[in-house]
Amino acid sequence: SNPFEVKVNRQKFDILGRKTKNDVGLPGVSRSKAIKKRNQTLLKEYKEREKTNVFKDKRFGEYNTKITPEEKMIRRFTLERQQNYGKKNIYNLNEDEELTHYGQSLAEIEKLNDIVDSDSDTEERGTLSAELTAAHFGGGGGLLRKKVSSEQQDEEEEKPKSRKELIEEMIAKSKQEKQERQTRRESALELTEKLDKDWKEIQTLIARKAPKSERKDKEVEKPKPDEYDIIVRELGFEMKAKPSEKLKTEEELAKEEQARLQKLEADRLRRMRGIDEEANQKRPSHMSADDLADGFILDKDDRRLLSYKDGKINIENEEEKGEEGEEEEEEEGEEGDNEDEEESQEESASEDEEDAAADGHSDLESDLESEGEAAENKEEKKHEANENESQNVEKLDPKREAAKSELPYTFAVPESYETFKSLLAGRTIEQQLIILERIQKCNHPSLAVGNKAKLEKLFGFLLEYIGELATLDLPELRTIDKLVLPLYNLCQMFPEAASDSMRFILRDAAHDLEEVIEVKGRATLPALDTLIYLKIVSLLFPTSDFWHPVVTPAFIYMSQLLTKCRITTLQDVIKGLFICCLFLEYVSLSRRFVPELINFLLGVLHISLPKSQAQGYTVVHPFTPVGKNLELLLVCDKEDLKSWEKQNVPLSIVTRLKEASRTEINHTRLSCLALCFDLIKKCAALYESLPSFHEIMHPVRILLTKHMPVNEYPEKMQEWYHSALKELENKVKHYIPLVCEKKKPVPLKQYTPKIVKVLEFGRKQAGSKKEQERKQLIQRHKRELKGAIREIRKDNQYLARMQLSEIMERDAARKRKVKELLGSLATQEGEWKAMKRKKWKN
């Protein structure tokens, strides 16, 4: 109605056919609607912001306009009855319900004067039967009794019984039933006893043994037990699980082991010093028959005085005293046997004196006689004690020697290699292993702080000791084999220190090899200790890793040995074949290709051929096609060829070949050649999955088929040769033909125009339908976000207005109250002044 409240939204261009919704806007109306809505929702929440209780009307159908008031009342009544049903009967005793006890109504029982127990066997009190009264008080028994007519009897029968009569009848019936039950029970017991007696008499007549033929038939007829029955019986006889003890941690196990070893060492030292355990035990003193057992001595006072130092309990002095006492005991134990004898003599003398004193108190009249007897007894007992001690020493001598020959149970970790070597020197391999085991257990890292560093040093000492055993004239390979186990245990405990020690050894060996090559231009294969270190690497560390800080340097070092070291002697061939075996062990899981391995095996076959046949193929360094070392594995002696038998080539033969005979050397050459055939067979099985397998093994196959003098070798050697050749030739080629990849052909460029859909002017253009929908969603989201921000801002403004109006109302009320107070004070002041003026006038 008001033209000033109407807002017209004008458009720049009038477009035909477009319908507009918001040509005219009413901002006043929309504002009033928004305020009204906020008054109903936001203002209500604002006023109830500090209130916790809300009244909710849960009456059925209160706000449902579809239900009539009558239906509401009926439904509410039924719901109320349903809720109260089942609850009122528990506690509400005012209802008209009949309560019973043993089937009788409580109301009827309460009416009786005396409550009669139906189970009681006593006679009724206060009731006398008609027969009894007639017999005692009737006078003449049945003579004076009136004859009752039949009509009166019928009337009496028809007459209803009173309540008392009914109860009496019921009591009589119950007593009768009880008596009948008792008689039935007694008769049943008598019958069963009689039946048992009769059955026992008949059983003796029936019992007879069946003939064997019938027994066999019965045994055959017995069904075999089912699998289920067998399992059930087995389960019945199975041991039931028992709770086991708690699993102990590594630290607890180490502490227990250390305590056990310390106890054993203390026992060994005691036996070595000749201290008898039975002698240390106190002998029981003589007790007389009239002894009151009141001559005991109280133990010393072990209570500690509390003292504090820097806020802590001071107990160091007592600990130091205990340690000093232990040290003194050890020093006394380390002294000679003479002191022990003197102490025992003194102890025996003191015991004799105590006995003499005790006897002196028993007889006061003969003091002089007792003193003389005591002196004689002293001398006799001293003499007996000396004899006993000499006998004990003779008995303990073999025990002492046995204790001295035993290994100590506790060992400290040696600080240097010399002490470690002296600790193991002159010991058997079993004793050396026991010593190393006890060193580890007594110095476990969890027992003390510095034990870890000590045991890490022990690993280095053990490696050095193994190297020294390998460099002897007769290398102790069995001892080295046994010492690998403690080495492995230390490596598992300290992997970083173990890897550092092994890398240090490998680095030194590689530097030595490079220096020799730089100085002389050629190098020889290393000594036996380096080869054993390479073998130990494969036992201690994982060899299948792609890269490992210890295995990878060892791998590279071995490949350098097979390519740079010249093969001049039979010992070099044995060492090289040992390295080839190590290579196969290293790559057994990873199947990594080692070209140095194949080249070395080819070279070994090459040096086993005569010079006339060593042509038509190529060999790689360190082998040469021509030279003095060409026929290193060639055996020409026919007798040696016939007498050869296949046997393993031990590594210790490297040091014994100089003293060996010609026949032994020829047998060793043939064994090396057989080992080469075996290694070729293993390489074929290992590298068969490689696509270039046939190209890799082609030189070996040519040498085996065209140049090897097979007919000259023994039969066993020929078998090894044919098995290796068969392994090479049976492998199928795994070549896959080269084929172009299947792809969709790329079409040729054409000059046809690209048709693009022209969209309406002013709209944002997009490439595809999905892109358009995406942009529409983004636009809608922006619009909704702006509207939500606008509404939140309006809500905040509305709340601020409400808060301001509350503050204004509070201020106005306060001003009004202050004004009223000031007015009342002014009137009181005026009245007081008026009264004062009156007084002055008067």
Side-chain angles (χ1 to χ4, degrees), residues 684-839:
L686 189 67
Y687 296 134
E688 64 178 344
S689 60
L690 292 176
S692 58
F693 171 74
H694 292 278
E695 280 71 23
I696 290 167
M697 292 296 181
H698 182 66
V700 179
R701 190 166 58 251
I702 288 173
L703 200 147
L704 288 173
T705 52
K706 295 182 179 179
H707 300 279
M708 289 291 293
V710 188
N711 298 326
E712 297 177 2
Y713 292 139
E715 292 182 1
K716 291 182 180 178
M717 183 70 77
Q718 289 180 16
E719 289 177 5
W720 285 92
Y721 166 80
H722 288 301
S723 64
L725 190 62
K726 188 179 179 182
E727 193 74 23
L728 290 175
E729 291 177 347
N730 286 344
K731 305 299 177 187
V732 184
K733 289 188 177 183
H734 295 287
Y735 293 142
I736 299 169
L738 294 173
V739 181
C740 292
E741 293 183 7
K742 293 182 180 180
K743 288 185 178 179
K744 193 176 179 181
V746 180
L748 296 171
K749 288 186 178 181
Q750 296 178 350
Y751 295 99
T752 54
K754 186 179 180 181
I755 299 166
V756 182
K757 186 181 178 182
V758 179
L759 301 172
E760 293 180 7
F761 177 75
R763 293 192 177 185
K764 293 181 181 179
Q765 298 181 4
S768 63
K769 189 177 181 182
K770 286 184 178 179
E771 193 67 24
Q772 287 180 1
E773 290 176 356
R774 182 172 171 277
K775 288 187 175 180
Q776 285 177 4
L777 283 171
I778 291 168
Q779 193 68 23
R780 199 180 300 162
H781 174 261
K782 283 183 180 178
R783 188 165 60 248
E784 293 293 333
L785 184 66
K786 285 180 181 178
I789 291 167
R790 193 186 309 114
E791 289 297 318
I792 289 167
R793 196 178 290 125
K794 288 180 179 178
D795 288 347
N796 289 335
Q797 290 174 358
Y798 176 79
L799 289 173
R801 285 199 300 274
M802 292 295 106
Q803 289 173 0
L804 184 63
S805 64
E806 284 182 359
I807 291 166
M808 296 290 286
E809 285 177 2
R810 285 202 300 271
D811 291 347
R814 182 172 170 278
K815 285 179 181 177
R816 182 175 51 76
K817 288 179 181 179
V818 168
K819 198 173 181 180
E820 287 176 359
L821 288 170
L822 289 174
S824 63
L825 289 172
T827 52
Q828 286 179 9
E829 187 72 20
E831 289 174 358
W832 181 70
K833 284 182 179 179
M835 287 174 67
K836 201 174 182 182
R837 281 196 296 272
K838 272 185 180 181
K839 284 180 181 179

Side-chain angles (χ1 to χ4, degrees), residues 230-496:
I230 293 165
I231 293 166
V232 167
R233 287 173 187 171
E234 287 176 358
L235 288 172
F237 288 106
E238 265 188 2
M239 289 290 288
K240 291 183 180 178
K242 293 180 180 179
S244 59
E245 293 181 358
K246 188 189 83 169
L247 291 174
K248 294 177 181 177
T249 60
E250 191 178 353
E251 294 180 2
E252 290 174 350
L253 292 171
K255 285 179 181 176
E256 286 182 3
E257 189 65 23
Q258 187 192 30
R260 186 182 71 82
L261 291 174
Q262 284 177 354
K263 185 181 178 184
L264 290 171
E265 178 64 11
D267 292 343
R268 189 188 70 84
L269 289 171
R270 179 181 51 73
R271 282 185 271 111
M272 191 176 71
R273 290 168 188 158
I275 302 168
D276 194 3
E277 192 174 2
E278 294 176 358
N280 291 336
Q281 294 176 357
K282 290 184 178 179
R283 289 178 292 178
S285 59
H286 174 70
M287 292 177 68
S288 63
D290 57 350
D291 191 4
L292 297 176
D294 56 353
F296 56 86
I297 300 168
L298 289 170
D299 294 335
K300 62 179 181 179
D301 195 1
D302 291 336
R303 291 179 295 179
R304 299 179 180 179
L305 294 173
L306 279 177
S307 61
Y308 290 88
K309 185 177 181 181
D310 298 332
K312 295 180 181 178
I313 298 174
N314 187 14
I315 57 171
E316 293 177 0
N317 298 330
E318 295 175 2
E319 290 176 358
E320 288 171 2
K321 287 177 185 176
E323 290 173 2
E324 287 172 3
E326 288 173 4
E327 290 173 2
E328 288 172 3
E329 286 175 4
E330 290 175 0
E331 288 172 1
E332 288 172 3
E334 289 171 359
E335 288 175 0
D337 301 331
N338 298 327
E339 293 178 3
D340 295 335
E341 292 172 4
E342 291 172 3
E343 287 173 3
S344 61
Q345 288 173 5
E346 289 173 3
E347 286 174 2
S348 61
S350 62
E351 287 173 0
D352 297 338
E353 288 172 4
E354 288 173 2
D355 294 337
D359 294 333
H361 284 291
S362 63
D363 191 8
L364 295 174
E365 294 178 357
S366 59
D367 288 339
L368 296 171
E369 292 175 4
S370 62
E371 283 176 6
E373 288 173 3
E376 289 174 4
N377 290 333
K378 275 186 187 179
E379 292 176 359
E380 289 175 3
K381 286 181 180 178
K382 278 184 183 179
H383 184 63
E384 289 174 3
N386 291 331
E387 289 177 357
N388 291 332
E389 282 171 6
S390 62
Q391 289 175 3
N392 289 335
V393 167
E394 289 174 2
K395 289 178 183 177
L396 290 172
D397 279 338
K399 290 185 179 179
R400 287 183 186 178
E401 290 173 3
K404 284 179 182 178
S405 63
E406 280 184 22
L407 281 175
Y409 289 93
T410 55
F411 289 94
V413 182
E415 295 293 331
S416 62
Y417 176 67
E418 286 74 16
T419 55
F420 176 75
K421 188 178 174 182
S422 64
L423 194 64
L424 300 181
R427 307 278 190 184
T428 61
I429 179 59
E430 289 79 9
Q431 289 178 342
Q432 291 180 14
L433 291 173
I434 290 167
I435 289 167
L436 291 170
E437 185 184 358
R438 288 176 181 174
I439 287 172
Q440 291 181 36
K441 287 180 178 178
C442 293
N443 302 278
H444 196 270
S446 62
L447 298 174
V449 178
N451 286 351
K452 185 180 178 183
K454 290 178 182 177
L455 290 178
E456 286 175 357
K457 283 183 184 179
L458 182 67
F459 183 86
F461 296 157
L462 195 54
L463 272 181
E464 194 174 347
Y465 182 67
I466 288 170
E468 190 173 333
L469 291 176
T471 53
L472 296 172
D473 295 335
L474 292 173
E476 299 180 9
L477 296 180
R478 289 184 179 178
T479 306
I480 292 169
D481 186 30
K482 298 284 186 181
L483 290 175
V484 169
L485 182 60
L487 201 67
Y488 178 79
N489 292 332
L490 288 169
C491 180
Q492 293 297 313
M493 290 173 72
F494 315 108
E496 293 181 2

Side-chain angles (χ1 to χ4, degrees), residues 512-619:
D512 293 342
L513 181 67
E514 289 174 2
E515 286 176 2
V516 172
I517 291 170
E518 285 179 3
V519 174
K520 296 182 179 180
R522 58 190 177 84
T524 57
L525 286 166
L528 199 59
D529 57 344
T530 308
L531 299 178
I532 286 169
Y533 285 142
L534 293 171
K535 174 67 177 175
I536 287 169
V537 167
S538 66
L539 297 173
L540 299 185
F541 302 102
T543 55
S544 60
D545 293 357
F546 183 75
W547 184 89
H548 193 272
V550 180
V551 178
T552 305
F555 207 93
I556 294 165
Y557 178 64
M558 286 194 297
S559 62
Q560 287 177 351
L561 291 177
L562 292 184
T563 52
K564 293 183 179 180
C565 296
R566 295 289 296 274
I567 306 298
T568 56
T569 59
L570 186 57
Q571 289 92 330
D572 293 340
V573 176
I574 294 169
K575 290 178 182 177
L577 288 172
F578 179 74
I579 294 170
C580 292
C581 294
L582 285 179
F583 261 127
L584 284 174
E585 189 177 344
Y586 274 50
V587 299
S588 60
L589 293 173
S590 61
R591 296 177 177 271
R592 193 176 298 168
F593 175 60
V594 185
E596 294 87 359
L597 173 62
I598 307 297
N599 291 332
F600 190 85
L601 294 176
L602 182 65
V604 171
L605 293 176
H606 168 67
I607 61 175
S608 66
L609 299 176
K611 289 182 181 179
S612 59
Q613 295 182 4
Q615 293 174 359
Y617 57 87
T618 56
V619 290

Side-chain angles (χ1 to χ4, degrees), residues 218-232:
K218 286 180 181 178
E219 286 176 0
V220 171
E221 288 173 2
K222 275 186 180 179
K224 291 183 179 179
D226 194 8
E227 290 182 3
Y228 176 77
D229 297 333
I230 293 165
I231 293 166
V232 167

Side-chain angles (χ1 to χ4, degrees), residues 151-165:
E151 292 178 3
Q152 287 177 352
Q153 285 179 358
D154 294 338
E155 285 176 3
E156 285 177 359
E157 286 176 0
E158 290 174 3
K159 191 169 76 174
K161 296 178 181 179
S162 64
R163 186 182 293 163
K164 215 167 190 179
E165 291 173 352

